[in-house]
Amino acid sequence: MAHIISIANQKGGVGKTTTAVNLSASLAISEKRTLLVDCDPQANATTGIGVDKTGIQKTLYNGMLGESDVKSIIVDTQIEFLKVIPSNIELIGFEVEMMSLADREKVLKNLLAGIRDSFDYIILDCPPSLSLLTVNALTASDSLLIPLQCEFYALEGLGQLLHTVKRIRQSLNPGLKIGGILLTMYDKRTNLSMQVAEDAEKHFRNLVFKTIIHRSVRLGEAPSFGKPIILYDAASTGARSYVNLAKEILDGAVSRPFKNVQF
């Protein structure tokens, strides 16, 4: 049965989609059957993995509204073991249409239930907000991976996300764990990056992944070519970093108990 991981942080520009795309690709090249689910109406994960969002007929939106069977919305990618459930701007209407639905927080969980046995990992790319879509993703997940950029105000808002997770554990998903905090956009030339990394490790201790994602021009270029970094430049620092992150996860780094988190 698949281990489902949400990539979430309500702060934008922290590397959520970059991590979702490249972690999925790195797990897939390890021959793990992997499904990337684009839960963001901006659909950047869809284009970043090489799917033309303007040309697809069925998306996550159709699946969550019950208009399409989940298997019919899964799309192949350039990597053999990696598939994707794409998204587009239509997904923005999900919250309005589901507002009066009972158990609206469990729509994604119910949608994925029928295909969990077909994959080893399912990666959910969440929107940059604590919206109903994000709540759906966290309700459906076994663990949460939080990208944390090594920039000023990085830790601001993280407490709000963790309190949201705590509430979801209490009412919707008691088994949800903190898979880890991933330091992103690290620049070894600046004292600020080092300070944020030190603060994160001091406060969250073993919840911080050993792998750090450095700032990288190649990593920033890859989405414009519709390729994960492992296909765009396999020798780059970014590619090696995400392969190392995948190894940490394969070694069991996403099973940390929530009780270790301090507020």
Side-chain angles (χ1 to χ4, degrees):
M1 181 177 290
H3 186 97
I4 302 179
I5 305 172
S6 278
I7 314 290
N9 187 330
Q10 78 271 24
K11 185 174 173 59
V14 300
K16 286 188 301 296
T17 298
T18 297
T19 296
V21 168
N22 291 297
L23 173 58
S24 297
S26 297
L27 290 168
I29 64 167
S30 298
E31 298 189 354
K32 297 299 180 182
R33 300 168 301 164
T34 306
L35 175 67
L36 171 63
V37 183
D38 191 347
C39 301
D40 187 350
Q42 296 178 83
N44 290 331
T46 298
T47 54
I49 207 68
V51 175
D52 180 7
K53 61 186 177 184
T54 64
I56 48 179
Q57 300 299 316
K58 297 178 180 180
T59 67
L60 179 62
Y61 175 77
N62 301 108
M64 293 182 79
L65 260 63
E67 298 173 351
S68 301
D69 177 75
V70 64
K71 294 180 181 178
S72 72
I73 60 176
I74 296 175
V75 177
D76 292 332
T77 72
Q78 303 166 74
I79 300 175
E80 181 182 357
F81 285 87
L82 177 59
K83 297 186 184 297
V84 61
I85 293 181
S87 181
N88 60 24
I89 194 63
E90 282 186 333
L91 189 58
I92 204 167
F94 169 76
E95 301 201 22
V96 175
E97 299 193 40
M98 292 291 108
M99 196 57 67
S100 60
L101 183 70
D103 289 334
R104 58 185 177 273
E105 301 91 351
K106 299 180 180 179
V107 175
L108 182 58
K109 179 180 180 178
N110 295 335
L111 180 70
L112 297 176
I115 55 171
R116 286 195 69 163
D117 288 340
S118 300
F119 295 95
D120 298 306
Y121 289 92
I122 298 177
I123 308 297
L124 310 180
D125 183 34
C126 298
S129 64
L130 297 178
S131 63
L132 182 58
L133 285 165
T134 300
V135 171
N136 260 264
L138 294 175
T139 301
S141 295
D142 299 300
S143 61
L144 165 65
L145 189 158
I146 306 170
L148 183 72
Q149 83 280 26
C150 294
E151 295 180 355
F152 200 55
Y153 297 133
L155 294 173
E156 275 199 3
L158 193 53
Q160 184 183 359
L161 172 62
L162 294 176
H163 278 293
T164 297
V165 173
K166 188 174 182 179
R167 289 196 298 271
I168 287 173
R169 277 179 50 85
Q170 291 170 343
S171 59
L172 295 167
N173 186 3
L176 181 63
K177 294 180 172 64
I178 300 296
I181 295 171
L182 176 69
L183 298 175
T184 64
M185 303 178 186
Y186 185 88
D187 188 341
K188 62 183 178 181
R189 299 169 299 179
T190 68
N191 290 331
L192 180 58
S193 283
M194 290 187 284
Q195 186 62 54
V196 171
E198 288 175 9
D199 289 347
E201 289 173 0
K202 180 180 179 180
H203 188 72
F204 296 106
R205 299 176 184 172
N206 66 320
L207 289 176
V208 181
F209 284 101
K210 294 176 182 177
T211 300
I212 294 177
I213 309 301
H214 292 253
R215 281 195 176 277
S216 166
V217 172
R218 303 297 276 174
L219 201 54
E221 291 174 346
S224 64
F225 291 87
K227 293 183 178 181
I229 189 65
I230 198 71
L231 295 184
Y232 182 64
D233 187 350
S236 66
T237 300
R240 292 196 301 270
S241 295
Y242 278 108
V243 168
N244 288 336
L245 176 62
K247 288 179 180 176
E248 278 197 68
I249 288 173
L250 290 172
D251 288 340
V254 292
S255 58
R256 303 175 174 99
F258 184 80
K259 63 182 179 181
N260 285 357
V261 179
Q262 298 178 10
F263 293 94

